Amino acid sequence: MTRDILIHELNSIEEFFNRSTRPLTEEHSNYKPHAGLYTVAQQVAHAAKTVEWLVDGALSPSGFDMNFEEHIAETMTFTSLEAARARLKSAFEHARKAVTDNPDVWKTAFPENPIMGGPKANAIYACTDHTAHHRGALTVYSRLLGLVPPMPYMEM
């Protein structure tokens, strides 16, 4: 769990997400396939918020911010894919800085909490799982829009 490994993981997560969602453009910002689902912009904003939430929760002495209603309300304000992508970029920059500035913290164990245990590096790996879930949902959105998402693991 070295700094370089965690930074590589964050870079890969961001790159895979961006590649998978590349066909989606600003005109698709408010598309959602069904009432009650996040829009394209909200999916990306939620992914960004969760990267921040996981990293901040790992570093905070008080643990994870459990005010999910507030987090959802913030996500629901996004109507622009460009703004959501900017937030995602900022979230990954924040995460890389957190890893770089606190290299030893990621090896320490989480205190008991309702979210996760083990070393705090698990928060970075949770970013992998969570963003994979949302990039998968967004590839379905792309298909429903008649777009073809590229393979995320290969540069096209």
Side-chain angles (χ1 to χ4, degrees):
M1 288 184 290
T2 67
R3 182 191 79 79
D4 291 344
I5 290 170
L6 296 178
I7 295 294
H8 176 75
E9 184 71 12
L10 289 165
N11 290 342
S12 295
I13 300 165
E14 183 178 25
E15 181 63 27
F16 295 160
F17 192 94
N18 289 336
R19 277 190 212 153
S20 295
T21 64
R22 187 179 297 146
L24 296 164
T25 63
E26 187 67 15
E27 70 182 86
H28 304 118
S29 295
N30 293 303
Y31 173 77
K32 60 182 174 182
H34 191 280
L37 299 179
Y38 281 149
T39 66
V40 168
Q42 292 164 349
Q43 287 268 4
V44 175
H46 172 72
K49 178 65 179 174
T50 304
V51 169
E52 296 163 350
W53 179 79
L54 286 163
V55 168
D56 292 347
L59 295 178
S60 173
S62 59
F64 294 97
D65 177 356
M66 302 297 281
N67 189 346
F68 297 119
E69 292 82 15
E70 183 180 304
H71 304 314
I72 292 167
E74 180 184 354
T75 295
M76 298 303 283
T77 66
F78 278 82
T79 59
S80 166
L81 179 56
E82 288 179 13
R85 286 189 192 280
R87 176 70 178 266
L88 186 66
K89 180 179 179 182
S90 174
F92 279 106
E93 289 169 354
H94 170 68
R96 283 187 288 269
K97 184 172 180 358
V99 168
T100 300
D101 290 353
N102 305 281
D104 296 329
V105 167
W106 305 99
K107 298 173 187 174
T108 65
F110 275 106
E112 190 169 322
N113 72 82
I115 302 299
M116 71 179 62
K120 291 184 177 185
N122 286 348
I124 303 302
Y125 297 114
C127 292
T128 303
D129 291 341
H130 186 262
T131 57
H133 162 75
H134 287 283
R135 70 180 157 91
L138 287 166
T139 61
V140 171
Y141 283 30
S142 293
R143 294 281 186 184
L144 292 170
L145 288 163
L147 305 170
V148 179
M151 171 61 104
Y153 311 108
M154 301 168 41
E155 186 57 59
M156 299 288 186

